[in-house]
Amino acid sequence: MTIKIVKRDSAHIIGMKIETLLKDTREQMIIPKLQQSFNKRLKEVNGAIDLPITYGIFIDPPNYNPAQDPFIWIAGVECSVDSEPPVGMISYTLPKATYAVLEYQGDIDNASVAYNELYEWIKDSDYEQEGLYGFEMYSTVHSSLDRRKAEFLLLFPIRLKNSN
């Protein structure tokens, strides 16, 4: 897989948020269920930009330990900055940043391979991860039943090492 580096402006996201443990989401499909719930409510979001692109954003706590720490997941869509979230949704701003980008195609249940590859690439590169978040960008809405044909971009914020 090829890693690209891109600069992105900030993005105003409106979506649905959960806090979950990694093992719980794998066992109970919490994130796929949230994504599907959001997709069903997408028409309620006013001011959406760049549809059909939607987002899956993760926010890890400091010193994140996947075995025991919950993290936040937001299923959302980019909106104009003056858009207000419908009841049961939140606003979140993806920061302006430089991102390492990896394209993933395949079974969504094996997406951890893409995450591991991007983490390894960053570790072995001249970059380091900046921030405790990252996101997936989906160009199509995937059915929870058709999980073997997922396509998305995985983006992690990065900065050059020693550029604090």
Side-chain angles (χ1 to χ4, degrees):
M1 292 185 209
T2 304
I3 309 292
K4 295 179 183 175
I5 298 172
V6 299
K7 293 181 187 271
R8 288 183 43 101
D9 285 330
S10 64
H12 177 68
I13 305 295
I14 290 180
M16 297 169 65
K17 171 179 133 177
I18 57 164
E19 190 168 346
T20 183
L21 289 167
L22 187 58
K23 80 173 189 58
D24 290 347
T25 194
R26 287 181 175 159
E27 292 169 2
Q28 302 167 33
M29 300 194 48
I30 292 170
I31 290 173
K33 289 176 184 174
L34 180 72
Q35 292 289 150
Q36 290 299 310
S37 294
F38 176 74
N39 290 340
K40 288 177 185 171
R41 294 191 59 198
L42 187 55
K43 62 186 173 292
E44 297 175 37
V45 178
N46 292 319
I49 297 172
D50 289 337
L51 285 173
I53 295 173
T54 58
Y55 293 74
I57 303 164
F58 69 86
I59 305 166
D60 293 333
N63 304 310
Y64 177 59
N65 178 340
Q68 65 187 32
D69 296 332
F71 66 97
I72 292 170
W73 185 270
I74 300 168
V77 64
E78 184 175 358
C79 294
S80 56
V81 293
D82 59 345
S83 297
E84 293 292 326
V87 172
M89 294 192 194
I90 56 103
S91 292
Y92 177 78
T93 301
L94 276 172
K96 177 180 181 176
T98 300
Y99 292 91
V101 183
L102 182 137
E103 184 176 340
Y104 179 78
Q105 295 180 342
D107 189 330
I108 193 73
D109 295 320
N110 293 330
S112 62
V113 170
Y115 279 77
N116 291 339
E117 183 168 335
L118 198 46
Y119 282 125
E120 285 298 313
W121 180 88
I122 291 170
K123 186 178 80 168
D124 295 339
S125 75
D126 292 334
Y127 295 91
E128 60 190 1
Q129 195 165 350
E130 181 174 37
L132 299 172
Y133 72 97
F135 60 97
E136 298 174 4
M137 285 180 64
Y138 315 104
S139 57
T140 58
V141 174
H142 296 101
S143 162
S144 60
L145 303 175
D146 190 15
R147 301 184 56 74
R148 288 179 172 65
K149 296 181 182 177
E151 293 181 28
F152 63 86
L153 298 177
L154 178 61
L155 295 91
F156 287 176
I158 57 172
R159 67 175 173 221
L160 285 169
K161 290 178 181 168
N162 302 317
S163 67
N164 302 334

